PDB file of all heavy atoms in Angstrom:
ATOM      1  N   ASN D   3    -134.526  55.417 -64.438  1.00  0.00           N
ATOM      2  CA  ASN D   3    -135.176  55.306 -65.744  1.00  0.00           C
ATOM      3  C   ASN D   3    -136.400  56.209 -65.823  1.00  0.00           C
ATOM      4  O   ASN D   3    -136.621  56.907 -66.798  1.00  0.00           O
ATOM      5  CB  ASN D   3    -135.571  53.843 -65.972  1.00  0.00           C
ATOM      6  CG  ASN D   3    -136.090  53.611 -67.384  1.00  0.00           C
ATOM      7  OD1 ASN D   3    -135.937  54.458 -68.240  1.00  0.00           O
ATOM      8  ND2 ASN D   3    -136.695  52.460 -67.599  1.00  0.00           N
ATOM      9  N   LEU D  37    -129.018  88.385 -88.334  1.00  0.00           N
ATOM     10  CA  LEU D  37    -128.491  89.742 -88.173  1.00  0.00           C
ATOM     11  C   LEU D  37    -126.964  89.723 -88.105  1.00  0.00           C
ATOM     12  O   LEU D  37    -126.295  90.534 -88.760  1.00  0.00           O
ATOM     13  CB  LEU D  37    -129.064  90.379 -86.911  1.00  0.00           C
ATOM     14  CG  LEU D  37    -128.518  91.770 -86.547  1.00  0.00           C
ATOM     15  CD1 LEU D  37    -128.839  92.766 -87.655  1.00  0.00           C
ATOM     16  CD2 LEU D  37    -129.091  92.231 -85.208  1.00  0.00           C
ATOM     17  N   LEU D  78    -110.744  70.234 -72.704  1.00  0.00           N
ATOM     18  CA  LEU D  78    -109.756  71.153 -72.133  1.00  0.00           C
ATOM     19  C   LEU D  78    -108.345  70.658 -72.430  1.00  0.00           C
ATOM     20  O   LEU D  78    -107.450  71.457 -72.752  1.00  0.00           O
ATOM     21  CB  LEU D  78    -109.967  71.278 -70.618  1.00  0.00           C
ATOM     22  CG  LEU D  78    -108.983  72.185 -69.871  1.00  0.00           C
ATOM     23  CD1 LEU D  78    -109.044  73.611 -70.396  1.00  0.00           C
ATOM     24  CD2 LEU D  78    -109.257  72.155 -68.371  1.00  0.00           C
ATOM     25  N   LYS D 182    -123.018  85.575 -99.410  1.00  0.00           N
ATOM     26  CA  LYS D 182    -123.134  84.937-100.712  1.00  0.00           C
ATOM     27  C   LYS D 182    -124.592  84.683-101.048  1.00  0.00           C
ATOM     28  O   LYS D 182    -125.416  84.434-100.165  1.00  0.00           O
ATOM     29  CB  LYS D 182    -122.355  83.608-100.724  1.00  0.00           C
ATOM     30  CG  LYS D 182    -120.875  83.760-100.372  1.00  0.00           C
ATOM     31  CD  LYS D 182    -120.195  82.416-100.271  1.00  0.00           C
ATOM     32  CE  LYS D 182    -118.763  82.545 -99.790  1.00  0.00           C
ATOM     33  NZ  LYS D 182    -118.111  81.235 -99.617  1.00  0.00           N
ATOM     34  N   ASP D 203    -119.766  77.783 -96.169  1.00  0.00           N
ATOM     35  CA  ASP D 203    -119.674  76.796 -97.237  1.00  0.00           C
ATOM     36  C   ASP D 203    -120.937  75.944 -97.210  1.00  0.00           C
ATOM     37  O   ASP D 203    -121.437  75.620 -96.112  1.00  0.00           O
ATOM     38  CB  ASP D 203    -118.423  75.927 -97.011  1.00  0.00           C
ATOM     39  CG  ASP D 203    -118.006  75.170 -98.248  1.00  0.00           C
ATOM     40  OD1 ASP D 203    -118.071  75.742 -99.346  1.00  0.00           O
ATOM     41  OD2 ASP D 203    -117.609  73.997 -98.112  1.00  0.00           O
ATOM     42  N   LEU D 239    -131.602  70.418 -98.026  1.00  0.00           N
ATOM     43  CA  LEU D 239    -131.725  70.139 -99.456  1.00  0.00           C
ATOM     44  C   LEU D 239    -130.870  71.083-100.292  1.00  0.00           C
ATOM     45  O   LEU D 239    -130.133  70.645-101.180  1.00  0.00           O
ATOM     46  CB  LEU D 239    -133.187  70.234 -99.877  1.00  0.00           C
ATOM     47  CG  LEU D 239    -134.109  69.107 -99.401  1.00  0.00           C
ATOM     48  CD1 LEU D 239    -135.559  69.416 -99.756  1.00  0.00           C
ATOM     49  CD2 LEU D 239    -133.694  67.777-100.012  1.00  0.00           C
ATOM     50  N   PHE D 364    -103.679  64.090 -81.478  1.00  0.00           N
ATOM     51  CA  PHE D 364    -104.702  63.295 -82.165  1.00  0.00           C
ATOM     52  C   PHE D 364    -105.349  62.300 -81.202  1.00  0.00           C
ATOM     53  O   PHE D 364    -106.568  62.107 -81.217  1.00  0.00           O
ATOM     54  CB  PHE D 364    -104.077  62.557 -83.343  1.00  0.00           C
ATOM     55  CG  PHE D 364    -105.043  61.701 -84.119  1.00  0.00           C
ATOM     56  CD1 PHE D 364    -105.914  62.270 -85.041  1.00  0.00           C
ATOM     57  CD2 PHE D 364    -105.095  60.332 -83.913  1.00  0.00           C
ATOM     58  CE1 PHE D 364    -106.808  61.482 -85.751  1.00  0.00           C
ATOM     59  CE2 PHE D 364    -105.984  59.534 -84.617  1.00  0.00           C
ATOM     60  CZ  PHE D 364    -106.846  60.113 -85.539  1.00  0.00           C
ATOM     61  N   PHE D 384    -131.395  53.758 -71.413  1.00  0.00           N
ATOM     62  CA  PHE D 384    -132.505  53.724 -70.464  1.00  0.00           C
ATOM     63  C   PHE D 384    -133.778  54.332 -71.046  1.00  0.00           C
ATOM     64  O   PHE D 384    -134.802  54.391 -70.377  1.00  0.00           O
ATOM     65  CB  PHE D 384    -132.129  54.459 -69.173  1.00  0.00           C
ATOM     66  CG  PHE D 384    -131.415  53.599 -68.174  1.00  0.00           C
ATOM     67  CD1 PHE D 384    -130.089  53.840 -67.856  1.00  0.00           C
ATOM     68  CD2 PHE D 384    -132.064  52.542 -67.552  1.00  0.00           C
ATOM     69  CE1 PHE D 384    -129.421  53.057 -66.934  1.00  0.00           C
ATOM     70  CE2 PHE D 384    -131.411  51.757 -66.627  1.00  0.00           C
ATOM     71  CZ  PHE D 384    -130.088  52.001 -66.313  1.00  0.00           C
ATOM     72  N   ASN D 386    -134.025  57.587 -72.605  1.00  0.00           N
ATOM     73  CA  ASN D 386    -134.094  59.039 -72.660  1.00  0.00           C
ATOM     74  C   ASN D 386    -134.006  59.483 -74.122  1.00  0.00           C
ATOM     75  O   ASN D 386    -132.955  59.375 -74.761  1.00  0.00           O
ATOM     76  CB  ASN D 386    -132.950  59.660 -71.845  1.00  0.00           C
ATOM     77  CG  ASN D 386    -133.068  61.161 -71.722  1.00  0.00           C
ATOM     78  OD1 ASN D 386    -133.308  61.855 -72.698  1.00  0.00           O
ATOM     79  ND2 ASN D 386    -132.896  61.668 -70.511  1.00  0.00           N
ATOM     80  N   PHE D 400    -119.362  63.026 -86.185  1.00  0.00           N
ATOM     81  CA  PHE D 400    -118.023  62.433 -86.280  1.00  0.00           C
ATOM     82  C   PHE D 400    -117.735  61.929 -87.692  1.00  0.00           C
ATOM     83  O   PHE D 400    -116.574  61.863 -88.103  1.00  0.00           O
ATOM     84  CB  PHE D 400    -117.870  61.289 -85.276  1.00  0.00           C
ATOM     85  CG  PHE D 400    -117.980  61.735 -83.834  1.00  0.00           C
ATOM     86  CD1 PHE D 400    -118.145  60.812 -82.818  1.00  0.00           C
ATOM     87  CD2 PHE D 400    -117.935  63.083 -83.501  1.00  0.00           C
ATOM     88  CE1 PHE D 400    -118.245  61.231 -81.497  1.00  0.00           C
ATOM     89  CE2 PHE D 400    -118.045  63.504 -82.197  1.00  0.00           C
ATOM     90  CZ  PHE D 400    -118.204  62.573 -81.186  1.00  0.00           C
ATOM     91  N   ALA D 412    -117.296  74.665 -86.268  1.00  0.00           N
ATOM     92  CA  ALA D 412    -117.876  74.758 -84.926  1.00  0.00           C
ATOM     93  C   ALA D 412    -118.539  76.099 -84.658  1.00  0.00           C
ATOM     94  O   ALA D 412    -119.544  76.178 -83.934  1.00  0.00           O
ATOM     95  CB  ALA D 412    -116.797  74.485 -83.878  1.00  0.00           C
ATOM     96  N   LEU D 422    -125.853  70.181 -75.892  1.00  0.00           N
ATOM     97  CA  LEU D 422    -125.290  68.973 -75.299  1.00  0.00           C
ATOM     98  C   LEU D 422    -124.930  69.211 -73.830  1.00  0.00           C
ATOM     99  O   LEU D 422    -125.215  68.378 -72.954  1.00  0.00           O
ATOM    100  CB  LEU D 422    -124.038  68.536 -76.065  1.00  0.00           C
ATOM    101  CG  LEU D 422    -124.204  68.070 -77.509  1.00  0.00           C
ATOM    102  CD1 LEU D 422    -122.856  67.694 -78.103  1.00  0.00           C
ATOM    103  CD2 LEU D 422    -125.169  66.894 -77.605  1.00  0.00           C
TER     104      LEU D 422
END
Side-chain angles (χ1 to χ4, degrees):
N3 187 13
L37 175 62
L78 179 60
K182 303 175 186 177
D203 197 40
L239 288 173
F364 180 79
F384 274 113
N386 187 313
F400 297 166
L422 294 179

